[in-house]
DNA sequence: TTAAAAAGTTAGGTTAGTCTAACTTTTATA
DNA sequence: TATAAAAGTTAGACTAACCTAACTTTTTAA
């Protein structure tokens, strides 16, 4: 049985590699994502290596092993099912679900998750548009285009949003950028990397950092 | 914010005092209930004392303070609401709910509990017949008679069952002893403390330990 | 009423997860 | 291609929650 902390490290590795289409990650970026110091991440990586959950050699890059990936994807499945439950059944808004799901994702009970899945009607995406891994551990990695890379003056559909920060999501919501919204990048300003958008017909000006968190098709 | 462990100590103190109609508890019984050594409980009691959650002096008896009680009752409320959710919405049987609720009771989110309460229709008892504290922190302590103290040859109604052990609950279920069942103590055998019962008309022979876990009215 | 038993505490040790400060290895670039 | 910057590691320390072994205080009962 893995601790909550170990599960969080594995989950972070999947976010940094598989979900970005990359094959490995570095100690510093892992530490940063988890909000710990690199030295702390090094210690944990040694432990995860002895448990055969990551492949890793000193000063090298980190890859997740097949058992490590399997476990991480289960945690991600739980996280996204709980987010969906909170949103669909308990009247949570999309900016409120993440924080509570971070706690709920570590509850250990196979039956709980199977039944939750059934109660929700076997959903395939969470409230932010992120795919929910199947009970067999399959995680759909759709090649995602962020608003920062999307073609200019073309209408796109908002497919998903990074869920990590409540404040960000409230802002996203405020400018009318919901899942399914029609969105167009009118122009990019090189001097400050800002993006001029049209969301469902309404103009908005956002930063590059904002644009990188919005996934479109 | 209290750790899961601190919450478990406070909860155990309420189980040992308020729910039994007693005003204080001892280090050893507390340690035993929590499955730790007395030395460990002593350490934690010192910590809870500095946080003003218990009243306590060296070699003395432990009482819970008003803030400590308030917090403990919130945890008990969460535990029993989660048990009810698992039983009512997720097809768990009454012997399966306790273990998972032990994990879920520590999730921190006021909104989560308020919404769960609403989803369940503001229940007043959990699947084992235990009262669910109100959102204001009121815990009904019904004076409870166990089967071991119940009058002989009188028909009683099963009002509740101690929920701690899944195996016990499965056995309780098997002999037909559900909440609301009619139960009569035919005879008690002094030489081995066994109890001869009649449950909904069917005979059964049970131990004293069994009889102490069944609450009747 | 005192001695043994029960209850409770203290001291010192362990593990998990974190930190800082100093160090080493790798990489990128002048 | 040498060296500075970036990336990563090591050593030593801290806290929370647990342990065992030895000790002290309180209670019980002969």
């Amino acid at each position: 049985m893995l601790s909550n902390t170990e599960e969080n490290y594995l989950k972070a590795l999947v976010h940094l590699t598989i979900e970005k289409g990359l094959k490995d990650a570095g100690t510093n970026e892992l530490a940063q994502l988890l909000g710990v110091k690199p030295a702390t991440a090094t210690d944990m990586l040694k432990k995860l290596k002895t448990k055969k959950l990551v492949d890793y050699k000193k000063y090298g890059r980190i890859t997740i092993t097949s058992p490590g990936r399997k476990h991480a994807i289960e945690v991600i499945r739980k996280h996204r099912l709980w987010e969906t439950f909170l949103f669909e059944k308990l009247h949570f808004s999309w900016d409120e679900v993440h924080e509570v799901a971070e706690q709920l994702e570590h509850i250990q009970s196979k039956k709980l998750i199977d039944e939750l899945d059934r109660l929700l009607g076997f959903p395939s995406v969470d409230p932010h548009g992120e795919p929910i891994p199947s009970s067999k551990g399959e995680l759909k990695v759709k090649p995602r285009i962020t608003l920062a890379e999307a073609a200019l003056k073309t209408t796109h559909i908002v497919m998903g949003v990074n869920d990590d920060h409540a404040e960000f999501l409230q802002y996203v919501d405020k400018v009318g950028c919901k899942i399914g919204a029609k969105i167009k990048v009118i122009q990019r300003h090189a001097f400050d990397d800002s993006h001029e958008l049209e969301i469902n017909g309404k103009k908005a000006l956002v930063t590059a950092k904002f644009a990188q968190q919005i996934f479109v098709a």
Side-chain angles (χ1 to χ4, degrees), chain A residues 119-139:
Chain A
L119 183 73
L120 298 169
F122 308 102
S124 62
V125 292
D126 76 10
H128 309 106
E130 300 283 359
I132 298 173
S134 76
S135 56
K136 284 163 209 133
E138 290 143 14
L139 172 56

Side-chain angles (χ1 to χ4, degrees), chain A residues 51 65 69 149 151 153 216:
Chain A
K51 294 193 174 187
T65 64
R69 184 169 53 246
E149 350 169 273
K153 289 170 185 160
V216 297

